[in-house]
Amino acid sequence: MTKSFRVTLLPGDGIGPEIMTVAVAVLKQVGEQHNIQFDFTEALLGGAAIDATGSPLPAETLSTCQASDAVLLASIGGYKWDDLPREKRPETGLLGLRSGLKLFANLRPATILPQLLSASSLKPEIVEGVDIMVVRELTGGIYFGTPKGIFETEDGQRGVSTMVYHSSEIDRIGKVAFETARKRKGQLCSVDKANVLDVSQLWRDRITALSTHYPDVELSHLYVDNAAMQLVRAPKQFDTIVTGNLFGDILSDAAAMLTGSIGMLPSASLGESGPGVFEPVHGSAPDIAGQDKANPLAQVLSAAMMLRYGLDQPKAADQIEQAVLTVLDQGYRTGDIMSEGMKAVGCREMGEALKQALRPK
Ligand code: NAD
């Protein structure tokens, strides 16, 4: 039986349209082989939307996204729009999209591909085989807690930010993390600072209580300072990590950079119900836009994440991830991951190599 999904495409700015073209071609080809039909609708976001409508997130874009099963986003932004007032900037459109879709969970994988071992700044024997997923809470914690601000006092100015988590917020991110760990190796490490922060003690208590519903997932806890140390000392010990907004912001970047190549990193942002947004970690790379130099693999891996975590099509996701490994095995490299003896290709040729790798043998 053919499954059908409505997918909103947001190519955005800079290299966005180039890498999106490759991802869509890959999805269509995989769809044919797995009886999945994609109903794609393209919409405007970021600079492209500002130029066409004056707004970085037109109402029509948000409603199209809300009515879809998943959103595949490329990248937004560029020099052209840098001097606009904040509410008119491309990034404001992205924040509006995240809040409009009530996305509270950010999933950032850091997988070391054997073919790109040398791209990491750590020793190969430390990073070989690393496969980590960081699940970060996205809408709570110290970035949003109140009171916040800089206040005048008799003793001078006082800066305040407040780290707040409600038990319901911890439970919902905890559920996403346990479910994610279940789809992986079944190990979840919760990161907090419960030795110092009361809010972290509540975090630890709730995650521990939740674990009784997931007897198949092995739960451990680490303090954030130790977690940062362990990530660079022995990253292979981690499978899935769950943590709050601030700690996750820092740890997900550190974990991602174990891989050493920004053009390879996908991400997913999920809500309680409704569509998730799947996008590469990198920006719109205006320095190489329109030159057929972009690496489309982070975008293609974002499409694989969409199939796995947004549309529950793990076999199709596996096939895309396998095709990425195949083209790397064959020596194809865009400029950002090029090394001696490999075959330098542009965005389009990498796309062709992927399509070839996806053909049934
Ligand atoms: P960037 O990620 O766009 O680029 C950083 C460097 O990495 C550049 O040298 C770029 O050429 C290279 N690079 C990035 N992606 C690549 C790819 N797929 N293939 C090959 N090389 C790649 O970050 P930046 O330069 O700081 O930001 C550029 C614009 O992107 C800014 O307007 C910024 O606001 C925006 N941005 C958007 C997002 C997003 O859409 N989520 C994220 C970060 C930055």
Side-chain angles (χ1 to χ4, degrees):
M1 207 185 70
T2 303
K3 289 148 284 187
S4 180
F5 298 109
R6 286 161 305 171
V7 175
T8 302
L9 304 174
L10 303 171
D13 309 315
I15 59 169
E18 300 166 58
I19 57 177
M20 184 64 93
T21 301
V22 174
V24 169
V26 163
L27 280 171
K28 281 185 181 157
Q29 193 166 334
V30 169
E32 276 169 25
Q33 290 172 33
H34 292 265
N35 282 332
I36 303 169
Q37 198 198 325
F38 295 105
D39 179 3
F40 293 118
T41 309
E42 202 171 299
L44 291 166
L45 182 75
I50 296 170
D51 288 351
T53 71
S55 158
L57 175 64
E60 197 188 331
T61 294
L62 184 57
S63 58
T64 304
C65 290
Q66 282 165 334
S68 59
D69 297 307
V71 177
L72 187 62
L73 165 65
S75 53
I76 49 114
Y79 316 127
K80 184 177 169 190
W81 305 281
D82 278 353
D83 295 329
L84 291 172
R86 181 152 307 281
E87 70 280 6
K88 288 257 162 89
R89 295 243 189 106
E91 293 77 8
T92 306
L94 191 55
L95 294 178
L97 180 72
R98 286 181 184 151
S99 68
L101 294 176
K102 300 193 172 63
L103 307 174
F104 66 87
N106 187 224
L107 272 61
R108 291 258 305 256
T111 311
I112 303 279
L113 303 178
Q115 300 87 343
L116 300 180
L117 256 188
S118 60
S120 178
S121 51
L122 297 189
K123 292 186 199 126
E125 62 269 29
I126 304 275
V127 288
E128 190 173 14
V130 162
D131 181 5
I132 302 172
M133 178 72 82
V134 180
V135 179
R136 167 191 170 195
E137 202 287 328
L138 207 54
T139 55
I142 197 162
Y143 292 174
F144 297 94
T146 50
K148 67 191 283 187
I150 299 174
F151 302 97
E152 301 297 332
T153 75
E154 284 174 4
D155 304 325
Q157 289 181 307
R158 185 163 174 263
V160 180
S161 294
T162 308
M163 192 184 278
V164 188
Y165 270 114
H166 287 272
S167 52
S168 57
E169 290 174 300
I170 303 169
D171 290 354
R172 70 178 184 176
I173 189 74
K175 278 180 203 150
V176 171
F178 277 105
E179 301 285 344
T180 304
R182 231 177 210 175
K183 289 181 179 167
R184 295 170 47 84
K185 286 191 221 116
Q187 293 161 2
L188 180 63
C189 178
S190 173
V191 173
D192 60 39
K193 190 72 183 165
N195 49 343
V196 179
L197 302 174
D198 293 325
V199 56
S200 274
Q201 187 58 55
L202 179 65
W203 179 282
R204 191 173 281 221
D205 293 347
R206 299 302 298 195
I207 297 285
T208 304
L210 207 55
S211 70
T212 57
H213 301 289
Y214 300 89
D216 51 326
V217 176
E218 188 191 318
L219 175 67
S220 61
H221 301 274
L222 276 185
Y223 298 133
V224 63
D225 43 346
N226 191 13
M229 195 169 76
Q230 297 300 332
L231 260 181
V232 287
R233 193 188 73 86
K236 267 179 265 192
Q237 68 185 289
F238 294 106
D239 172 33
T240 308
I241 293 174
V242 62
T243 188
N245 206 343
L246 171 64
F247 302 153
D249 193 1
I250 299 164
L251 292 184
S252 62
D253 266 14
M257 276 304 115
L258 294 173
T259 68
S261 43
I262 196 164
M264 299 294 303
L265 296 167
S267 77
S269 300
L270 308 174
E272 217 145 358
S273 58
V277 173
F278 302 85
E279 58 179 312
V281 167
H282 62 72
S284 59
D287 52 332
I288 57 166
Q291 300 168 38
D292 194 33
K293 285 184 180 165
N295 181 351
L297 296 180
Q299 185 73 54
V300 167
L301 291 169
S302 301
M305 280 193 93
M306 178 179 86
L307 287 165
R308 190 180 305 284
Y309 295 101
L311 305 176
D312 205 19
Q313 301 299 316
K315 288 207 178 101
D318 285 345
Q319 201 196 348
I320 293 181
E321 287 164 1
Q322 190 52 52
V324 169
L325 293 180
T326 302
V327 297
L328 292 173
D329 273 338
Q330 291 166 340
Y332 292 103
R333 300 284 188 277
T334 43
D336 57 313
I337 52 171
M338 184 59 192
S339 60
E340 216 183 304
M342 297 295 146
K343 184 174 164 27
V345 292
C347 184
R348 271 195 295 267
E349 200 176 341
M350 185 62 102
E352 289 307 317
L354 279 168
K355 284 202 270 180
Q356 191 63 38
L358 286 167
R359 289 213 177 99
K361 300 288 165 319

